[in-house]
Amino acid sequence: MRQNKIPQATAKRLPLYYRYLNNLNRQGKKRVSSKELSEAIKVDSATIRRDFSYFGALGKKGYGYNVEYLLGFFRSTLDQHETTEVALIGVGNLGTAFLNYNFTKNNNIQIKMAFDSDEEKIGQIVGGVPVYGIDEMMERIEGISVAILTVPVSEADVITEKLVKAGIEGILNFTPVRITVPEDVRVHHIDLAVELQALVYFLKHYPLQSK
Ligand code: ATP
């Protein structure tokens, strides 16, 4: 794997850097300092400098970083040339929102198909994406490596098992269930309720100093 040398925390910031630098490039900016970047994307400048050193980009004092060089690096690292096709399971409220959103601002990720068990939803096109019956998932999902899971809690484990059998490599899990997968399947878990509760807790107990 090409990205082995980049620490995971750095890799997670890549899309953030990429999006911002792309904007700068569109505005015709040739260079950017770590301070400017830091203010724009709220990552401290020491972290940015360390991250960028992994990319072989060495900022020059008084000059900053070359925007085009960095973009070239990010494009190849994030495989911007390839489109990653994604499947979504569970076209409820959250699932429907994702289908309508469909990551149109990231031109390298696209939800290609969705699955549901509800007869009324099967056969519909939501946000341009066809909704198939869950019974068809095994045959249709072939060749797709990433799935977004937005089914009810009670269904999460069963669906996960099927996804694993179908050869899925990564699952973005929006259910509160800590799903179990084999070692070679990666799960990223996003529990929106927990995130929101954490934010409220921090606001209460760790108020930010007023500016
Ligand atoms: P809604 O109001 O549309 O039901 P919701 O997000 O509150 O939305 P949930 O009960 O969380 O509904 O279910 C999410 C979606 O998952 C629904 O569209 C439901 O039909 C679908 N679903 C439930 N069981 C399965 C299953 N076994 N396989 C695939 N999809 C399922």
Side-chain angles (χ1 to χ4, degrees):
M1 290 271 290
R2 264 178 306 148
Q3 283 190 24
N4 270 355
K5 276 184 285 169
I6 302 176
Q8 276 198 25
T10 303
K12 276 198 160 177
R13 285 187 285 271
L14 276 180
L16 197 65
Y17 292 140
Y18 179 74
R19 198 168 352 156
Y20 185 70
L21 286 161
N22 233 342
N23 283 340
L24 289 184
N25 193 40
R26 270 191 227 120
Q27 292 161 19
K29 277 200 84 170
K30 298 278 177 240
R31 55 197 203 183
V32 63
S33 69
S34 52
K35 189 162 169 280
E36 269 173 276
L37 264 169
S38 167
E39 279 162 14
I41 61 176
K42 308 279 179 266
V43 172
D44 71 275
S45 48
T47 304
I48 292 177
R49 282 195 294 273
R50 198 181 51 237
D51 283 353
F52 283 16
S53 69
Y54 293 117
F55 317 151
L58 301 170
K60 287 189 212 111
K61 259 217 153 60
Y63 176 88
Y65 293 93
N66 183 310
V67 172
E68 259 177 32
Y69 172 88
L70 283 169
L71 274 178
F73 177 87
F74 294 148
R75 269 194 207 107
S76 55
T77 308
L78 293 169
D79 281 333
Q80 292 290 320
H81 310 296
E82 280 173 38
T83 301
T84 303
E85 298 188 340
V86 178
L88 179 136
I89 332 295
V91 190
N93 290 314
L94 194 53
T96 302
F98 283 131
L99 294 182
N100 286 317
Y101 177 65
N102 210 352
F103 309 94
T104 43
K105 290 184 190 86
N106 294 63
N107 47 15
N108 64 328
I109 298 180
Q110 203 182 22
I111 304 175
K112 269 284 170 199
M113 56 183 81
F115 298 94
D116 206 287
S117 56
D118 183 342
E119 289 297 332
E120 296 205 345
K121 293 176 181 171
I122 297 169
Q124 283 191 26
I125 308 269
V126 181
V129 179
V131 181
Y132 300 114
I134 190 72
D135 299 339
E136 295 177 45
M137 186 171 82
M138 297 300 273
E139 49 192 280
R140 289 205 183 260
I141 210 167
E142 217 189 301
I144 289 193
S145 55
V146 177
I148 298 176
L149 198 59
T150 45
V151 291
V153 167
S154 57
E155 307 300 316
D157 284 322
V158 183
I159 302 288
T160 300
E161 232 171 84
K162 283 190 188 161
L163 285 169
V164 169
K165 267 198 197 126
I168 212 81
E169 291 168 24
I171 300 175
L172 194 57
N173 174 24
F174 281 91
T175 79
V177 182
R178 293 276 161 187
I179 50 176
T180 319
V181 292
E183 256 176 24
D184 58 350
V185 176
R186 185 179 270 276
V187 175
H188 282 200
H189 184 227
I190 302 179
D191 187 327
L192 292 174
V194 167
E195 295 293 333
L196 209 49
Q197 268 165 3
L199 176 64
V200 171
Y201 179 86
F202 273 83
L203 284 178
K204 223 186 240 165
H205 297 278
Y206 302 93
L208 297 174
Q209 279 161 4
S210 54
K211 283 179 186 159

